[in-house]
Amino acid sequence: EVRLVESGGGLVQPGGSLSLACAASGFTFSGYVMTWVRQAPGKGLEWVSGISGSGSFTYYVDYVKGRFTISRDNSKNTLYLQMKSLRAEDTALYYCAKDKFFGSGSPDGFDVWGQGTMVTVSS
Amino acid sequence: QSVLTQPPSVSAAPGQKVTISCSGSSSNIGNNYVSWYHHLPGTAPTLLIYDSNRRPSGIPDRFSGSKSGTSATLGITGLQSGDEANYYCGTWDNSLNVWVFGGGTKLTVL
């Protein structure tokens, strides 16, 4: 069974840092682009960041550049998102998602999603 | 403001058909495939359509997708109460070099 399980969410003060992880199983992890998507309370889905299968290429939405870092450890089948300088507007449920196509270099669409991990930025 | 424009809401009676539009530009929909997602807040989204008009295995043929120029459309026939959800379109944007989602459309089955 293909599965993604996020962890690492929690309550953090503005300006603080947090690291999220996404444990993958049931597929050849290193062959797929992986992505983080978030949903703020009462808002729609928002793509945050993506990373190629090898980890050589990374992509970020403008307002997290310089603050968030996506990475992956293919030996551990795990995706990461390191977040720093967190703001109230980063409060959201963070999902990791697997790309639909094997061997793609950039996101093509997401066929498997985790259940999400909640990040709350508040004093 | 989302790069992709969807109507905030649509509604129709059980058994009827509904379409949800997704409007973009040449930097996104015009030159890339579109995917569509079903989402209930707090749960994992589900891929309904990929490559603009293909259904993953397990998605019933009541769901269809099409694309023309810089717009895409999701169609749902034989509406059921269980179809009530938020629906999102998404695609790659070649200018921004990011994935973009539409703002989402809330479907109500009357």
Side-chain angles (χ1 to χ4, degrees), chain A residues 39 44-45 60 95 107 109-110 113-114, chain B residues 37 39 43-45 47 88 92 98:
Chain A
Q39 184 178 38
L45 298 178
Y60 299 93
Y95 297 100
F110 319 116
W113 297 67
Chain B
Y37 303 85
H39 185 227
T43 69
L47 177 65
Y88 295 87
W92 184 255
V98 297

Side-chain angles (χ1 to χ4, degrees), chain B residues 15 22 26 39 52 77 82 89:
Chain B
C22 176
S26 59
H39 185 227
S52 302
T77 59
C89 59

Side-chain angles (χ1 to χ4, degrees), chain A residues 37 39 43-47 59-62 65 93 95 99-101 106-115, chain B residues 33 35 37 39-47 50-51 54 56 86 88 92 96-103:
Chain A
V37 174
Q39 184 178 38
K43 303 292 187 181
L45 298 178
E46 179 184 45
W47 183 88
Y59 310 91
Y60 299 93
V61 70
D62 270 354
K65 281 180 183 176
L93 183 61
Y95 297 100
D99 209 72
K100 169 67 176 169
F101 296 107
S106 60
D108 282 318
F110 319 116
D111 65 341
V112 180
W113 297 67
Q115 290 299 315
Chain B
Y33 291 117
S35 52
Y37 303 85
H39 185 227
L40 292 168
T43 69
T46 301
L47 177 65
Y50 67 98
D51 282 359
R54 300 177 66 183
N86 298 309
Y88 295 87
W92 184 255
L96 299 174
N97 221 32
V98 297
W99 183 270
V100 289
F101 283 110

Side-chain angles (χ1 to χ4, degrees), chain A residues 27-85:
Chain A
F27 64 100
T28 306
F29 181 71
S30 61
Y32 292 88
V33 169
M34 296 295 295
T35 273
W36 288 98
V37 174
R38 70 186 183 185
Q39 184 178 38
K43 303 292 187 181
L45 298 178
E46 179 184 45
W47 183 88
V48 174
S49 181
I51 185 169
S52 62
S54 65
S56 298
F57 301 99
T58 57
Y59 310 91
Y60 299 93
V61 70
D62 270 354
Y63 37 86
V64 307
K65 281 180 183 176
R67 300 190 300 123
F68 290 12
T69 302
I70 192 171
S71 62
R72 63 192 298 160
D73 186 336
N74 287 342
S75 69
K76 296 181 178 179
N77 289 349
T78 303
L79 173 72
Y80 302 98
L81 186 68
Q82 293 179 288
M83 305 182 293
K84 65 179 183 179
S85 302

Side-chain angles (χ1 to χ4, degrees), chain B residues 3-4 22-32 69-71 91-93 95:
Chain B
V3 172
L4 305 180
C22 176
S23 178
S25 68
S26 59
S27 67
N28 42 68
I29 292 177
N31 283 283
N32 293 297
T70 59
S71 292
T91 189
W92 184 255
D93 190 291
S95 295

